[in-house]
Amino acid sequence: MPWNRDEMAARAAGELRDGYYVNLGIGIPTLVANMVPEGMTVTLQSENGLLGIGPFPYEGELDPDLINAGKQTITDLPGSSYFSSADSFGMIRGGHVHLSILGGMEVSQNGDLANWMVPGKMIKGMGGAMDLVAGVRRIVVVMDHCDKTGDSKFKSECTLPLTGKGVVDMLITDLGVFEIDRRGDSGATLLEIAPGVSLDEIRAKTQAEFALGPGVR
Amino acid sequence: MPWNRDEMAARAAGELRDGYYVNLGIGIPTLVANMVPEGMTVTLQSENGLLGIGPFPYEGELDPDLINAGKQTITDLPGSSYFSSADSFGMIRGGHVHLSILGGMEVSQNGDLANWMVPGKMIKGMGGAMDLVAGVRRIVVVMDHCDKTGDSKFKSECTLPLTGKGVVDMLITDLGVFEIDRRGDSGATLLEIAPGVSLDEIRAKTQAEFALGPGVR
Amino acid sequence: MSSKIFNSAAEALAGQLSDGMVVAAGGFGLCGVPVDLIMALRDSNAKDLTVIGNNVGCDDHGMWHVLANGQIKKVILSFAGDNKILAQAFMSNEIDIEFNPQGTLAERLRAGGAGIPAFFTRTGYGTIIAEGKETRQFPNPDGTLDWFVMESGLTADISLVKAWKADTEGNLVYRKTARNFNPMIASAGRLTIAEVEEIVPVGSLDPDSVHTPGIFVDRIVASTMREKHIERPTTRPRATKETV
Amino acid sequence: MSSKIFNSAAEALAGQLSDGMVVAAGGFGLCGVPVDLIMALRDSNAKDLTVIGNNVGCDDHGMWHVLANGQIKKVILSFAGDNKILAQAFMSNEIDIEFNPQGTLAERLRAGGAGIPAFFTRTGYGTIIAEGKETRQFPNPDGTLDWFVMESGLTADISLVKAWKADTEGNLVYRKTARNFNPMIASAGRLTIAEVEEIVPVGSLDPDSVHTPGIFVDRIVASTMREKHIERPTTRPRATKETV
């Protein structure tokens, strides 16, 4: 059976390491915040100017001056710090954030990512997505393997306008986990298959080319 | 009689305006700090990271963490603020400082300034001088008209390595005051002559070409 | 010195606006937005404005009012998704929208304020953001080469910012994530006006903790906004057995 | 999380240094200099170092000791006038000195820390600083053209900074003009070590007033320096009739 949203987030949480500074996108990536392994310290960055995101506030304790990049009310933590958007993206662009987990519309086998616009539809803007994928050291994308019509979203080449070229290190879908050699020539490698999903099913549903990792068959 | 150091500083103080943010170089320019006209508010910037320089501290109240760009102990004032060197030179380079009054070794008739090195002598470094002359809106140079051998320091062209090209708006020497059209083609204009100094004396002691301002003869 | 304090947003803007100007305004969503100043901009009826900001208003809030009043010719922003009028005006080509990656927009404003006309960033290389812009390779610290895009500094004729506190010198302190784009926009304005929740006497701010030094602030007004809006109120349940 | 706190400067540097490394150190004159860390660098005997800093030591202080110990191959600085050994070594071509305008040096370090490989500045155009560098024209806000010089971002293998306080997360607060180059150098290091006067519990710093967020700081040591030196003590006389 393919992974559900929580299972995909849990798999993404497996990429966290003790001491990491991490930026989480909206949607499934946000769920990762609640899945930090016991005993591990991970500091969450909000690109609108906060290091150290706390849990959502209790009813009656909302602070309009304290929101995350998705405009939700949040809290801070002991050890948090606030800074300007320029300083925040200095952190991001300068490679100080270890990991970003983001949603995607399309990923290509060489690590291109499209997740900000669909031609002809209302354009919302890329916000901080282009900066995150260009600057954060390691990019993990979490998305459904196929779109609503059943077409593969993991492609040989993206068809939508790109968010970044050669930026994705790992793709986690409901069907499996792929590693992508975005700086080299080795392309994509299937590392894990969701329990109960067959390699044949992944092959049938994937337009991208990929190699098989050790133990995957 | 030529102006002395205090008189040159007093003339430079005549360039202050109410509300100005000002950076003063070391030497004669520092004297200007004590010559702000009554009722006028001028805020002094120290490029090592302070806006709002106060007077020197009293004996026994020196703070090693509070120095000016000349490494002297100073004080701050109500309304002062501290910032990093990057932010400080952001202010300077971004044209937010209205006026800088600096010393000089040579000034040319088109506004070039040399004040940081003499080939063959020990090189100390330019410090913040190049940033100040490139970024501050108005640059006033205060220097002796001639060097110790009697040669003019106000020249058709500088012979020493430049601090900035086309940067000086006004030159105040012990003999007089020159306005320089550093962005245009009008060159230098003699605006004032020190009391008791003759135009002939200035002509004889000046290697630069200059026009005569209204009323100067 | 003549005072930087003005009695109202309208007085602070009086005589400063003209058609075709470039106006930058701070804020991220509804957070840290100079609401009074923006309404005074709307009331001025200045036209053909170019407006710079992360969002340029959310529905019924902030710069949305200036947009709805037909005063804006072009916007330079990062995210328009909170603003239906803007998105529609763009789809129908009524307004020129220049989309910027959020970090690029923040850095362009910082650069403009700091006298840097252009810089290179990895952000946007290989995307439509890089089209028509100069790209080139630079070495990483490890010696490998990456491609970068040249982006230009941004300045504004008038900058409108929102702070928590100002002293009478114009030193500003922001609160929490309401800081966002305000410091860079304050530095990028030829004329910068700050709307603040509290004006405090000179000397009452810690000089080590000033976010925007007074040199960047020309005019100050006390905000009349008494209630701050929240776009997406989000809470967690209280633990059921919690003792209060 | 493994702690960022180390017991001494020597322990914080242990195993991190190798010959030929690039080391950046904060400070302006004797103000805000990570003295303990620099002495530990001297004791390491790492050689052929490239050192970045505004002054790279003053006579008998700070990086002067590393220089006097023959460990430095190249310095990247703005002002060497306080350091006779350095000036002499330069005159005799023993050491490669790269002079930078102070604001350009500060901005190069900020750029390096912020992922910007190059930027343009008006500073130094038409001087020897621009020789061999790309220059080009950009428009000013008023439409006139000026010439600018392209400068590159700077990073360091190890950054040594001095702060007033750190919490255990590595958030730093600096004091007065001891801030100077420290924040940019903290951001520009692959490994950044902070020497601080006081280590405070997490939660005791105001999150709105942190100067260097902990993300930039890998290791923290408490300074053993008990007396701060002053290069040019300057005082004013007390008014003679002043009542105490």
mmCIF file of all heavy atoms in Angstrom, chain C residues 28-71:
data_model
loop_
_atom_site.group_PDB
_atom_site.id
_atom_site.type_symbol
_atom_site.label_atom_id
_atom_site.label_comp_id
_atom_site.label_asym_id
_atom_site.label_seq_id
_atom_site.Cartn_x
_atom_site.Cartn_y
_atom_site.Cartn_z
ATOM 1 N N PHE C 28 4.778 41.563 5.764
ATOM 2 C CA PHE C 28 4.729 40.190 5.255
ATOM 3 C C PHE C 28 3.341 39.694 5.614
ATOM 4 O O PHE C 28 3.015 39.558 6.791
ATOM 5 C CB PHE C 28 5.814 39.345 5.927
ATOM 6 C CG PHE C 28 5.902 37.935 5.421
ATOM 7 C CD1 PHE C 28 6.759 37.610 4.378
ATOM 8 C CD2 PHE C 28 5.114 36.920 5.970
ATOM 9 C CE1 PHE C 28 6.844 36.307 3.903
ATOM 10 C CE2 PHE C 28 5.196 35.620 5.500
ATOM 11 C CZ PHE C 28 6.060 35.313 4.462
ATOM 12 N N GLY C 29 2.489 39.489 4.605
ATOM 13 C CA GLY C 29 1.087 39.238 4.900
ATOM 14 C C GLY C 29 0.509 40.458 5.604
ATOM 15 O O GLY C 29 0.701 41.592 5.149
ATOM 16 N N LEU C 30 -0.154 40.232 6.729
ATOM 17 C CA LEU C 30 -0.734 41.354 7.484
ATOM 18 C C LEU C 30 0.191 41.800 8.611
ATOM 19 O O LEU C 30 -0.184 42.613 9.443
ATOM 20 C CB LEU C 30 -2.072 40.924 8.093
ATOM 21 C CG LEU C 30 -3.118 40.357 7.142
ATOM 22 C CD1 LEU C 30 -4.407 40.051 7.900
ATOM 23 C CD2 LEU C 30 -3.379 41.322 6.002
ATOM 24 N N CYS C 31 1.390 41.283 8.620
ATOM 25 C CA CYS C 31 2.302 41.434 9.747
ATOM 26 C C CYS C 31 3.339 42.521 9.457
ATOM 27 O O CYS C 31 4.088 42.435 8.491
ATOM 28 C CB CYS C 31 2.983 40.072 9.941
ATOM 29 S SG CYS C 31 3.880 39.851 11.453
ATOM 30 N N GLY C 32 3.350 43.572 10.284
ATOM 31 C CA GLY C 32 4.327 44.631 10.091
ATOM 32 C C GLY C 32 4.025 45.539 8.921
ATOM 33 O O GLY C 32 4.929 45.998 8.224
ATOM 34 N N VAL C 33 2.756 45.816 8.704
ATOM 35 C CA VAL C 33 2.329 46.649 7.570
ATOM 36 C C VAL C 33 2.017 48.074 8.072
ATOM 37 O O VAL C 33 1.295 48.227 9.054
ATOM 38 C CB VAL C 33 1.076 46.052 6.902
ATOM 39 C CG1 VAL C 33 0.584 46.941 5.770
ATOM 40 C CG2 VAL C 33 1.352 44.637 6.404
ATOM 41 N N PRO C 34 2.540 49.103 7.403
ATOM 42 C CA PRO C 34 2.247 50.483 7.812
ATOM 43 C C PRO C 34 0.866 50.907 7.308
ATOM 44 O O PRO C 34 0.733 51.624 6.308
ATOM 45 C CB PRO C 34 3.363 51.289 7.149
ATOM 46 C CG PRO C 34 3.746 50.482 5.941
ATOM 47 C CD PRO C 34 3.514 49.046 6.303
ATOM 48 N N VAL C 35 -0.148 50.478 8.025
ATOM 49 C CA VAL C 35 -1.541 50.579 7.566
ATOM 50 C C VAL C 35 -1.987 52.026 7.389
ATOM 51 O O VAL C 35 -2.587 52.390 6.367
ATOM 52 C CB VAL C 35 -2.461 49.835 8.548
ATOM 53 C CG1 VAL C 35 -3.909 50.037 8.158
ATOM 54 C CG2 VAL C 35 -2.122 48.357 8.597
ATOM 55 N N ASP C 36 -1.711 52.873 8.379
ATOM 56 C CA ASP C 36 -2.139 54.274 8.286
ATOM 57 C C ASP C 36 -1.495 54.980 7.101
ATOM 58 O O ASP C 36 -2.146 55.730 6.363
ATOM 59 C CB ASP C 36 -1.754 55.030 9.557
ATOM 60 C CG ASP C 36 -2.657 54.705 10.733
ATOM 61 O OD1 ASP C 36 -3.585 53.891 10.559
ATOM 62 O OD2 ASP C 36 -2.418 55.271 11.817
ATOM 63 N N LEU C 37 -0.210 54.751 6.928
ATOM 64 C CA LEU C 37 0.507 55.418 5.834
ATOM 65 C C LEU C 37 -0.041 54.966 4.486
ATOM 66 O O LEU C 37 -0.175 55.768 3.553
ATOM 67 C CB LEU C 37 2.008 55.123 5.935
ATOM 68 C CG LEU C 37 2.731 55.837 7.080
ATOM 69 C CD1 LEU C 37 4.125 55.235 7.292
ATOM 70 C CD2 LEU C 37 2.835 57.340 6.797
ATOM 71 N N ILE C 38 -0.372 53.696 4.385
ATOM 72 C CA ILE C 38 -0.898 53.182 3.120
ATOM 73 C C ILE C 38 -2.282 53.768 2.848
ATOM 74 O O ILE C 38 -2.599 54.131 1.706
ATOM 75 C CB ILE C 38 -0.915 51.636 3.135
ATOM 76 C CG1 ILE C 38 0.527 51.112 3.044
ATOM 77 C CG2 ILE C 38 -1.756 51.091 1.984
ATOM 78 C CD1 ILE C 38 0.671 49.620 3.254
ATOM 79 N N MET C 39 -3.109 53.935 3.885
ATOM 80 C CA MET C 39 -4.422 54.551 3.664
ATOM 81 C C MET C 39 -4.263 56.023 3.277
ATOM 82 O O MET C 39 -5.033 56.539 2.463
ATOM 83 C CB MET C 39 -5.297 54.401 4.910
ATOM 84 C CG MET C 39 -5.689 52.952 5.211
ATOM 85 S SD MET C 39 -6.307 52.012 3.778
ATOM 86 C CE MET C 39 -7.986 52.666 3.678
ATOM 87 N N ALA C 40 -3.257 56.680 3.837
ATOM 88 C CA ALA C 40 -2.997 58.074 3.438
ATOM 89 C C ALA C 40 -2.516 58.131 1.987
ATOM 90 O O ALA C 40 -2.840 59.073 1.248
ATOM 91 C CB ALA C 40 -1.960 58.709 4.369
ATOM 92 N N LEU C 41 -1.761 57.131 1.575
ATOM 93 C CA LEU C 41 -1.336 57.038 0.173
ATOM 94 C C LEU C 41 -2.567 56.863 -0.716
ATOM 95 O O LEU C 41 -2.676 57.485 -1.775
ATOM 96 C CB LEU C 41 -0.379 55.850 0.010
ATOM 97 C CG LEU C 41 0.109 55.525 -1.404
ATOM 98 C CD1 LEU C 41 0.965 56.664 -1.959
ATOM 99 C CD2 LEU C 41 0.933 54.223 -1.410
ATOM 100 N N ARG C 42 -3.497 56.022 -0.271
ATOM 101 C CA ARG C 42 -4.728 55.818 -1.025
ATOM 102 C C ARG C 42 -5.491 57.147 -1.129
ATOM 103 O O ARG C 42 -5.934 57.569 -2.201
ATOM 104 C CB ARG C 42 -5.590 54.761 -0.312
ATOM 105 C CG ARG C 42 -6.681 54.133 -1.180
ATOM 106 C CD ARG C 42 -8.023 54.853 -1.077
ATOM 107 N NE ARG C 42 -8.419 55.204 0.266
ATOM 108 C CZ ARG C 42 -9.300 54.558 1.004
ATOM 109 N NH1 ARG C 42 -9.864 53.477 0.531
ATOM 110 N NH2 ARG C 42 -9.616 54.990 2.213
ATOM 111 N N ASP C 43 -5.604 57.862 -0.009
ATOM 112 C CA ASP C 43 -6.362 59.111 0.003
ATOM 113 C C ASP C 43 -5.697 60.204 -0.829
ATOM 114 O O ASP C 43 -6.351 61.169 -1.233
ATOM 115 C CB ASP C 43 -6.551 59.592 1.447
ATOM 116 C CG ASP C 43 -7.405 58.625 2.252
ATOM 117 O OD1 ASP C 43 -8.119 57.802 1.617
ATOM 118 O OD2 ASP C 43 -7.359 58.664 3.496
ATOM 119 N N SER C 44 -4.398 60.069 -1.062
ATOM 120 C CA SER C 44 -3.679 61.090 -1.845
ATOM 121 C C SER C 44 -4.086 61.058 -3.307
ATOM 122 O O SER C 44 -3.914 62.033 -4.024
ATOM 123 C CB SER C 44 -2.172 60.830 -1.768
ATOM 124 O OG SER C 44 -1.819 59.753 -2.634
ATOM 125 N N ASN C 45 -4.577 59.898 -3.752
ATOM 126 C CA ASN C 45 -4.925 59.707 -5.160
ATOM 127 C C ASN C 45 -3.753 59.846 -6.128
ATOM 128 O O ASN C 45 -3.951 60.029 -7.324
ATOM 129 C CB ASN C 45 -6.069 60.631 -5.591
ATOM 130 C CG ASN C 45 -7.411 60.120 -5.067
ATOM 131 O OD1 ASN C 45 -7.695 58.919 -5.160
ATOM 132 N ND2 ASN C 45 -8.198 61.001 -4.487
ATOM 133 N N ALA C 46 -2.528 59.781 -5.618
ATOM 134 C CA ALA C 46 -1.364 59.748 -6.526
ATOM 135 C C ALA C 46 -1.521 58.546 -7.457
ATOM 136 O O ALA C 46 -1.919 57.469 -7.023
ATOM 137 C CB ALA C 46 -0.077 59.641 -5.724
ATOM 138 N N LYS C 47 -1.203 58.735 -8.731
ATOM 139 C CA LYS C 47 -1.473 57.697 -9.744
ATOM 140 C C LYS C 47 -0.185 57.120 -10.340
ATOM 141 O O LYS C 47 0.898 57.652 -10.145
ATOM 142 C CB LYS C 47 -2.301 58.294 -10.891
ATOM 143 C CG LYS C 47 -3.729 58.619 -10.530
ATOM 144 C CD LYS C 47 -4.532 59.018 -11.744
ATOM 145 C CE LYS C 47 -3.955 60.226 -12.496
ATOM 146 N NZ LYS C 47 -4.135 61.494 -11.768
ATOM 147 N N ASP C 48 -0.388 56.055 -11.118
ATOM 148 C CA ASP C 48 0.714 55.432 -11.880
ATOM 149 C C ASP C 48 1.903 55.068 -10.996
ATOM 150 O O ASP C 48 3.058 55.181 -11.407
ATOM 151 C CB ASP C 48 1.177 56.371 -13.015
ATOM 152 C CG ASP C 48 0.090 56.566 -14.051
ATOM 153 O OD1 ASP C 48 -0.712 55.628 -14.264
ATOM 154 O OD2 ASP C 48 0.039 57.658 -14.644
ATOM 155 N N LEU C 49 1.585 54.638 -9.801
ATOM 156 C CA LEU C 49 2.650 54.297 -8.862
ATOM 157 C C LEU C 49 3.285 52.953 -9.206
ATOM 158 O O LEU C 49 2.626 52.046 -9.710
ATOM 159 C CB LEU C 49 2.088 54.219 -7.438
ATOM 160 C CG LEU C 49 1.431 55.483 -6.901
ATOM 161 C CD1 LEU C 49 0.791 55.200 -5.536
ATOM 162 C CD2 LEU C 49 2.445 56.623 -6.787
ATOM 163 N N THR C 50 4.581 52.858 -8.935
ATOM 164 C CA THR C 50 5.242 51.552 -8.881
ATOM 165 C C THR C 50 5.387 51.213 -7.400
ATOM 166 O O THR C 50 5.905 52.028 -6.631
ATOM 167 C CB THR C 50 6.625 51.604 -9.556
ATOM 168 O OG1 THR C 50 6.438 51.820 -10.952
ATOM 169 C CG2 THR C 50 7.385 50.304 -9.334
ATOM 170 N N VAL C 51 4.895 50.056 -7.013
ATOM 171 C CA VAL C 51 4.904 49.694 -5.599
ATOM 172 C C VAL C 51 5.785 48.467 -5.386
ATOM 173 O O VAL C 51 5.668 47.476 -6.108
ATOM 174 C CB VAL C 51 3.473 49.432 -5.086
ATOM 175 C CG1 VAL C 51 3.512 48.876 -3.666
ATOM 176 C CG2 VAL C 51 2.665 50.717 -5.124
ATOM 177 N N ILE C 52 6.674 48.567 -4.408
ATOM 178 C CA ILE C 52 7.576 47.464 -4.064
ATOM 179 C C ILE C 52 7.211 46.919 -2.689
ATOM 180 O O ILE C 52 7.035 47.691 -1.745
ATOM 181 C CB ILE C 52 9.049 47.941 -4.012
ATOM 182 C CG1 ILE C 52 9.433 48.677 -5.297
ATOM 183 C CG2 ILE C 52 9.989 46.763 -3.763
ATOM 184 C CD1 ILE C 52 10.821 49.313 -5.236
ATOM 185 N N GLY C 53 7.103 45.607 -2.575
ATOM 186 C CA GLY C 53 6.853 44.989 -1.276
ATOM 187 C C GLY C 53 6.718 43.497 -1.436
ATOM 188 O O GLY C 53 6.545 43.009 -2.558
ATOM 189 N N ASN C 54 6.806 42.751 -0.333
ATOM 190 C CA ASN C 54 6.722 41.298 -0.467
ATOM 191 C C ASN C 54 5.395 40.861 -1.060
ATOM 192 O O ASN C 54 5.343 40.020 -1.941
ATOM 193 C CB ASN C 54 6.928 40.618 0.886
ATOM 194 C CG ASN C 54 7.006 39.109 0.742
ATOM 195 O OD1 ASN C 54 7.894 38.596 0.065
ATOM 196 N ND2 ASN C 54 6.070 38.388 1.329
ATOM 197 N N ASN C 55 4.274 41.437 -0.575
ATOM 198 C CA ASN C 55 2.960 40.999 -1.044
ATOM 199 C C ASN C 55 2.160 42.074 -1.769
ATOM 200 O O ASN C 55 1.273 41.762 -2.550
ATOM 201 C CB ASN C 55 2.070 40.558 0.123
ATOM 202 C CG ASN C 55 2.781 39.673 1.096
ATOM 203 O OD1 ASN C 55 3.722 40.110 1.742
ATOM 204 N ND2 ASN C 55 2.354 38.435 1.180
ATOM 205 N N VAL C 56 2.417 43.335 -1.473
ATOM 206 C CA VAL C 56 1.592 44.412 -2.013
ATOM 207 C C VAL C 56 0.117 44.168 -1.673
ATOM 208 O O VAL C 56 -0.776 44.162 -2.523
ATOM 209 C CB VAL C 56 1.815 44.582 -3.536
ATOM 210 C CG1 VAL C 56 1.016 45.751 -4.077
ATOM 211 C CG2 VAL C 56 3.289 44.800 -3.832
ATOM 212 N N GLY C 57 -0.123 43.949 -0.393
ATOM 213 C CA GLY C 57 -1.493 43.868 0.102
ATOM 214 C C GLY C 57 -2.097 42.484 0.086
ATOM 215 O O GLY C 57 -1.723 41.626 -0.698
ATOM 216 N N CYS C 58 -3.008 42.259 1.023
ATOM 217 C CA CYS C 58 -3.837 41.059 1.032
ATOM 218 C C CYS C 58 -5.269 41.558 0.878
ATOM 219 O O CYS C 58 -5.546 42.736 1.089
ATOM 220 C CB CYS C 58 -3.683 40.320 2.356
ATOM 221 S SG CYS C 58 -1.957 40.005 2.770
ATOM 222 N N ASP C 59 -6.162 40.663 0.526
ATOM 223 C CA ASP C 59 -7.548 41.085 0.272
ATOM 224 C C ASP C 59 -8.080 41.989 1.378
ATOM 225 O O ASP C 59 -8.075 41.621 2.551
ATOM 226 C CB ASP C 59 -8.452 39.850 0.139
ATOM 227 C CG ASP C 59 -8.154 39.092 -1.153
ATOM 228 O OD1 ASP C 59 -7.459 39.645 -2.019
ATOM 229 O OD2 ASP C 59 -8.623 37.942 -1.273
ATOM 230 N N ASP C 60 -8.534 43.177 0.983
ATOM 231 C CA ASP C 60 -9.141 44.136 1.910
ATOM 232 C C ASP C 60 -8.165 44.734 2.913
ATOM 233 O O ASP C 60 -8.595 45.367 3.882
ATOM 234 C CB ASP C 60 -10.304 43.489 2.699
ATOM 235 C CG ASP C 60 -11.559 43.402 1.854
ATOM 236 O OD1 ASP C 60 -11.859 44.386 1.150
ATOM 237 O OD2 ASP C 60 -12.219 42.349 1.886
ATOM 238 N N HIS C 61 -6.890 44.497 2.735
ATOM 239 C CA HIS C 61 -5.912 45.026 3.687
ATOM 240 C C HIS C 61 -4.736 45.699 2.973
ATOM 241 O O HIS C 61 -4.330 45.273 1.905
ATOM 242 C CB HIS C 61 -5.351 43.905 4.575
ATOM 243 C CG HIS C 61 -6.316 43.435 5.604
ATOM 244 N ND1 HIS C 61 -7.088 42.310 5.445
ATOM 245 C CD2 HIS C 61 -6.668 43.960 6.817
ATOM 246 C CE1 HIS C 61 -7.858 42.142 6.505
ATOM 247 N NE2 HIS C 61 -7.619 43.119 7.353
ATOM 248 N N GLY C 62 -4.199 46.723 3.622
ATOM 249 C CA GLY C 62 -2.952 47.333 3.185
ATOM 250 C C GLY C 62 -3.011 47.835 1.760
ATOM 251 O O GLY C 62 -3.982 48.491 1.341
ATOM 252 N N MET C 63 -1.979 47.519 1.002
ATOM 253 C CA MET C 63 -1.810 48.065 -0.338
ATOM 254 C C MET C 63 -2.942 47.641 -1.288
ATOM 255 O O MET C 63 -3.102 48.228 -2.357
ATOM 256 C CB MET C 63 -0.444 47.632 -0.880
ATOM 257 C CG MET C 63 0.166 48.551 -1.911
ATOM 258 S SD MET C 63 0.398 50.284 -1.391
ATOM 259 C CE MET C 63 2.026 50.207 -0.636
ATOM 260 N N TRP C 64 -3.725 46.645 -0.891
ATOM 261 C CA TRP C 64 -4.905 46.249 -1.659
ATOM 262 C C TRP C 64 -5.799 47.462 -1.922
ATOM 263 O O TRP C 64 -6.367 47.603 -3.005
ATOM 264 C CB TRP C 64 -5.682 45.178 -0.862
ATOM 265 C CG TRP C 64 -6.918 44.649 -1.538
ATOM 266 C CD1 TRP C 64 -7.015 43.563 -2.346
ATOM 267 C CD2 TRP C 64 -8.244 45.183 -1.440
ATOM 268 N NE1 TRP C 64 -8.314 43.373 -2.755
ATOM 269 C CE2 TRP C 64 -9.084 44.358 -2.212
ATOM 270 C CE3 TRP C 64 -8.798 46.291 -0.770
ATOM 271 C CZ2 TRP C 64 -10.455 44.597 -2.337
ATOM 272 C CZ3 TRP C 64 -10.163 46.537 -0.901
ATOM 273 C CH2 TRP C 64 -10.977 45.696 -1.673
ATOM 274 N N HIS C 65 -5.909 48.356 -0.943
ATOM 275 C CA HIS C 65 -6.776 49.524 -1.094
ATOM 276 C C HIS C 65 -6.258 50.489 -2.165
ATOM 277 O O HIS C 65 -7.034 51.099 -2.891
ATOM 278 C CB HIS C 65 -6.912 50.260 0.245
ATOM 279 C CG HIS C 65 -7.676 49.488 1.274
ATOM 280 N ND1 HIS C 65 -9.036 49.342 1.235
ATOM 281 C CD2 HIS C 65 -7.261 48.792 2.355
ATOM 282 C CE1 HIS C 65 -9.438 48.599 2.260
ATOM 283 N NE2 HIS C 65 -8.365 48.244 2.957
ATOM 284 N N VAL C 66 -4.945 50.619 -2.228
ATOM 285 C CA VAL C 66 -4.336 51.509 -3.234
ATOM 286 C C VAL C 66 -4.516 50.897 -4.619
ATOM 287 O O VAL C 66 -4.797 51.584 -5.599
ATOM 288 C CB VAL C 66 -2.841 51.721 -2.916
ATOM 289 C CG1 VAL C 66 -2.196 52.682 -3.911
ATOM 290 C CG2 VAL C 66 -2.670 52.222 -1.488
ATOM 291 N N LEU C 67 -4.381 49.590 -4.660
ATOM 292 C CA LEU C 67 -4.580 48.847 -5.901
ATOM 293 C C LEU C 67 -6.030 48.949 -6.361
ATOM 294 O O LEU C 67 -6.310 49.274 -7.537
ATOM 295 C CB LEU C 67 -4.217 47.386 -5.624
ATOM 296 C CG LEU C 67 -4.159 46.417 -6.788
ATOM 297 C CD1 LEU C 67 -2.991 46.750 -7.690
ATOM 298 C CD2 LEU C 67 -4.011 44.987 -6.253
ATOM 299 N N ALA C 68 -6.949 48.718 -5.420
ATOM 300 C CA ALA C 68 -8.376 48.764 -5.756
ATOM 301 C C ALA C 68 -8.789 50.161 -6.194
ATOM 302 O O ALA C 68 -9.753 50.333 -6.948
ATOM 303 C CB ALA C 68 -9.199 48.311 -4.551
ATOM 304 N N ASN C 69 -8.050 51.147 -5.757
ATOM 305 C CA ASN C 69 -8.336 52.540 -6.131
ATOM 306 C C ASN C 69 -7.703 52.907 -7.474
ATOM 307 O O ASN C 69 -7.741 54.065 -7.887
ATOM 308 C CB ASN C 69 -7.832 53.472 -5.018
ATOM 309 C CG ASN C 69 -8.452 54.852 -5.076
ATOM 310 O OD1 ASN C 69 -9.596 55.008 -5.500
ATOM 311 N ND2 ASN C 69 -7.679 55.862 -4.677
ATOM 312 N N GLY C 70 -7.074 51.941 -8.133
ATOM 313 C CA GLY C 70 -6.546 52.170 -9.481
ATOM 314 C C GLY C 70 -5.309 53.048 -9.532
ATOM 315 O O GLY C 70 -5.021 53.662 -10.565
ATOM 316 N N GLN C 71 -4.540 53.091 -8.442
ATOM 317 C CA GLN C 71 -3.390 54.006 -8.406
ATOM 318 C C GLN C 71 -2.077 53.353 -8.831
ATOM 319 O O GLN C 71 -1.071 54.030 -8.939
ATOM 320 C CB GLN C 71 -3.231 54.564 -6.979
ATOM 321 C CG GLN C 71 -4.407 55.390 -6.489
ATOM 322 C CD GLN C 71 -4.273 55.702 -5.001
ATOM 323 O OE1 GLN C 71 -4.865 55.046 -4.151
ATOM 324 N NE2 GLN C 71 -3.489 56.711 -4.679
#
